[in-house]
Amino acid sequence: MPDDCIFCKIINRELDAEIVYEDEHAVAFKDINPAAPVHILVVPRKHIPTLLDLKKEDEGLVGHLHTVANEVARAFNVDKKGFRVVINCGADAGQIVFHLHLHLLGGRPLLQTMAKGRGV
Ligand code: AMP
Ligand code: ZN
């Protein structure tokens, strides 16, 4: 783990966060600057900087992160009305923390910008 990774520090309990789920491979915690009423980050315990750094051996882990997101969505009651899962990769996507994470967003109608071809 790099010394300066804030998500590794949260996973290792060196930095406070509101953790809402954890298991052997993944941790989920509330985003410090929420963009929606429900904004949870789902992260692997393994330090993977970006989506582009995934290895073949990580395929199962990425699937697991999505089932964790489903579980958290149910726990926060956004499963019925719907939610969005986002992974930012690199500068143009606005990635600021270089430890792979899924944003789980819900609790309000989210803009339909994808449908207009403008991205999220
Ligand atoms: P990204 O642009 O995909 O890299 O998003 C990183 C997210 O991490 C942003 O939504 C931040 O608000 C969030 N974040 C940064 N630091 C913390 C922290 N210490 N605890 C919880 N969320 C954080
Ligand atoms: Zn990390």
Side-chain angles (χ1 to χ4, degrees), residues 2-118:
D3 294 343
D4 57 347
C5 177
I6 54 172
F7 287 179
C8 280
K9 286 187 177 155
I10 288 172
I11 291 161
N12 295 331
R13 298 293 209 282
E14 293 164 33
L15 195 66
D16 276 342
E18 205 172 329
I19 293 177
V20 298
Y21 174 95
E22 64 181 321
D23 65 26
E24 191 186 345
H25 299 292
V27 177
F29 50 90
K30 292 190 179 177
D31 194 292
I32 203 167
N33 186 19
V38 174
H39 189 170
I40 311 281
L41 303 174
V42 181
V43 310
R45 287 191 188 274
K46 178 179 177 184
H47 180 87
I48 301 170
T50 81
L51 203 54
L52 281 170
D53 298 303
L54 286 178
K55 307 265 187 298
K56 197 84 184 150
E57 73 215 34
D58 299 318
E59 285 178 354
L61 177 59
V62 173
H64 179 64
L65 297 177
H66 283 81
T67 57
V68 169
N70 283 346
E71 196 164 320
V72 174
R74 289 190 191 96
F76 281 80
N77 294 313
V78 293
D79 54 317
K80 297 209 170 48
K81 284 194 149 183
F83 58 93
R84 183 172 291 160
V85 171
V86 175
I87 299 177
N88 293 320
C89 184
D92 273 4
Q95 185 176 5
I96 52 170
V97 178
F98 287 82
H99 180 126
L100 183 67
H101 51 281
L102 274 59
H103 293 257
L104 165 60
L105 297 150
R108 66 166 169 82
L110 299 165
L111 295 175
Q112 299 296 310
T113 49
M114 294 291 277
K116 294 175 188 146
R118 286 191 272 118

